[in-house]
Each structure stands twice: as C-alpha cells, then as structure tokens.
Amino acid sequence: MNLFDLRGKVAVITGGNGGIGLGMARGIASCGANIVVVGRNAEKAASALDSLRELGVEAVFVSADVTRKADCVAMIAQSVQALGRVDILVNNAGTSIRKMPEDYSEEEWHHVLDTNLTSAFLASQAAYPALKQAGGGKIINIGSMMSLFGAPYATPYASSKGGIVQMSRALATAWAKDNIQVNAVLPGWIDTDLTKRARQQVDGLHESVEKRTPFGRWGTPHDMAGVAAFLASPASDFVTGTAIPVDGGFSVAM
Ligand code: NDP
C-alpha cells in the first residue's frame, strides 16, 4: 500500500501559478494527482502548467477571482468539467498590504481579509458537494507565521491568517462526517514574489529572518511540497483541524 498514492485524484490549487502554490502543486502532482491551477494571471500560469506536466500529470488553468463567490462556484464546475472530479482543494491565494494600523483604509482592510480568508471559505463551500461526491477529500488552507505572531505592519494580514486556523478547525469538525480532512499549513518565510515586496518594504527583514530561523535561511517553494503531499494523501486520513508550521524552526526559536 502506498500511503502517498494520488493517481486518479484531482487537486484544485488557488494561486497555483507561482510561489508557494506552485511548490505545493508540484508536491501533490509528484504523487500522481492531476492539477487545476487557479489564478488571474494566465501568462504566469502557462509556465506553471509546463512544470506540472513535466511530472507526468494533466494540468489545466482556470481563471477565477476567488474573492467572488460566483467565481469559486464556476472554478469547481470547470475543474469537474475538465478533469472529471475534485478530491483536494488548496486555499493558497493570498496578499498583503503593509502599513501601520492607523493608516489602512476600509477598502484595504477588506481587500486583505477577502483575498486571504473569505476566499478560502467561499472556495471550501463551493468544493464541498464535489468532495462529498468523491467520497471524501482534503482541504489545505495556507496560514502563516502571522497565524501565531503579530507584527506592526500586518494587522489585516495577521487577522486573516489567524482566522484561517480557526476556520480550518471549524470546518474539520463540521465535515469529518463526510470523510473530509481540513488542515492548515503555516509557512515560515519563503522566497516568493510576495516576500520580495516585503523585503523591499520592511528594513532588515531579510537578515532578521536568516538570523532567527534555526536553519539559517529563507524557505523555497519546494520546501512546501512535502507537507502538501502528506496532507493531500491517505497518509493523513486521521489528521484534521491541525495547523502545521513549515518554517525551518522559526516558530520555536527565541
Ligand atoms: P505569491 O504572490 O507568489 O502568490 C499569491 C498567489 O495568489 C498568486 O499566484 C496570485 O495569482 C493568487 N491570488 C491573489 N489574489 C487572488 C485572487 N483574488 N483570485 C485568485 N488568485 C489570487 O505569494 P506566495 O506564494 O508567497 O503566497 C501564497 C500564500 O502563502 C499566500 O496565502 C500567502 O499569504 C502565504 N504565505 C506566504 C509566505 C511567504 O513567506 N511567502 C509565508 C506565509 C504564508 P495571480 O497572480 O494570478 O493573481
């Protein structure tokens, strides 16, 4: 028995066209699942699809703005139409606006909450009937070190990522009856487009992450592949409602 065999399964990965989403998509694809990459930027998705197909699986792009309920419903319908079913949903799309709390507009607050938290709820709700029909499934939500810690420049981001952990627990308890496992992953500092911007905006961030992380380096999208494979596969069938840090030890270091 191969605990990590995902052949015949289909995974939908929001924001799978780059960064952590693509790293996770590659981890899940390496276990044999076919992949739906969801995002808004089709150009970026083209090279992501190539890198997934190199692993011998089918990969398609579905364009959606996951802050919109109608797009989430259409994203699942198009995934089923293209690849026949949905077994795994990775809610990875995310963004940040870095400012002091007193400087955010109401729109900026809602933009971050909608992109990081509401989207994960809407996509999970949209996927639920398909997961049930598949006989069960896996939802993997992406939190952050900001699910655990605060930072002066990250009030809406930390609020959304704290919410991801609690939402995962609540969904895990609701949908265990349907054989759906819901877990969160809390990445440490990973080198992506999102954190390139952070390093430009936050003085000394690059060095302070290296200094505090016991492994002494930033993570790469590839570092996120293994946890995705685990949480998507039968190896984690009795694991639900957890929040797993993948952070090179950042969250356990003084
Ligand atoms: P990227 O900016 O590379 O990826 C973000 C992805 O989200 C993009 O692919 C983007 O697709 C997609 N996206 C954003 N908004 C929407 C939307 N409204 N609808 C559909 N897709 C959308 O950043 P990361 O890879 O770093 O981030 C991925 C996740 O990991 C985020 O949730 C982030 O908060 C989280 N994270 C990142 C950490 C890091 O250190 N990098 C640490 C902890 C958590 P498109 O370009 O097509 O819009």
Side-chain angles (χ1 to χ4, degrees):
M1 180 182 164
N2 179 351
L3 287 172
F4 295 94
D5 186 4
L6 291 177
R7 283 171 302 172
K9 306 280 186 189
V10 173
V12 175
I13 293 138
T14 72
N17 50 3
I20 289 176
L22 181 56
M24 291 192 142
R26 285 180 56 83
I28 293 170
S30 69
C31 299
N34 295 324
I35 306 288
V36 180
V37 166
V38 177
R40 299 165 301 182
N41 185 335
E43 220 174 286
K44 212 166 87 182
S47 68
L49 294 183
D50 287 344
S51 97
L52 291 163
R53 289 175 185 141
E54 276 168 15
L55 299 171
V57 301
E58 284 187 67
V60 298
F61 175 64
V62 168
S63 173
D65 175 348
V66 290
T67 62
R68 297 162 188 243
K69 181 174 172 151
D71 280 28
C72 290
V73 171
M75 154 187 105
I76 298 298
Q78 286 174 45
S79 301
V80 172
Q81 196 178 18
L83 296 175
R85 55 192 288 142
V86 172
D87 304 274
I88 299 149
L89 170 67
V90 182
N91 286 314
N92 162 80
T95 194
S96 189
I97 299 173
R98 295 174 195 88
K99 289 184 174 183
M100 292 303 281
E102 57 273 29
D103 296 331
Y104 287 99
S105 69
E106 192 179 344
E107 288 70 27
E108 288 170 331
W109 167 269
H110 284 298
H111 177 67
V112 176
L113 268 289
D114 287 354
T115 305
N116 295 358
L117 181 59
T118 308
S119 67
F121 176 69
L122 294 175
S124 300
Q125 212 180 31
Y128 178 60
L131 298 178
K132 247 171 71 164
Q133 198 179 345
K138 307 278 187 176
I139 298 177
I140 304 170
N141 296 315
I142 309 309
S144 162
M145 287 299 100
M146 299 286 176
S147 302
L148 305 172
F149 303 111
Y153 53 82
T155 303
Y157 187 82
S159 305
S160 69
K161 294 301 189 180
I164 279 284
V165 171
Q166 285 304 100
M167 187 188 73
S168 302
R169 291 177 178 152
L171 293 179
T173 62
W175 292 343
K177 66 176 172 42
D178 302 303
N179 189 30
I180 297 168
Q181 290 83 48
V182 186
N183 290 288
V185 174
L186 314 182
W189 288 92
I190 312 294
D191 184 13
T192 67
D193 289 351
L194 189 75
T195 48
K196 274 190 187 81
R197 284 199 302 277
R199 276 180 272 190
Q200 285 156 10
Q201 291 169 354
V202 182
D203 273 350
L205 179 66
H206 181 78
E207 295 73 20
S208 72
V209 167
E210 281 184 345
K211 199 164 160 214
R212 172 162 171 177
T213 305
F215 273 99
R217 66 168 176 87
W218 283 63
T220 66
H222 178 68
D223 287 320
M224 306 307 298
V227 74
F230 171 64
L231 290 177
S233 71
S236 61
D237 276 355
F238 203 53
V239 178
T240 201
T242 61
I244 304 179
V246 180
D247 63 354
F250 184 95
S251 61
V252 296
M254 287 260 298

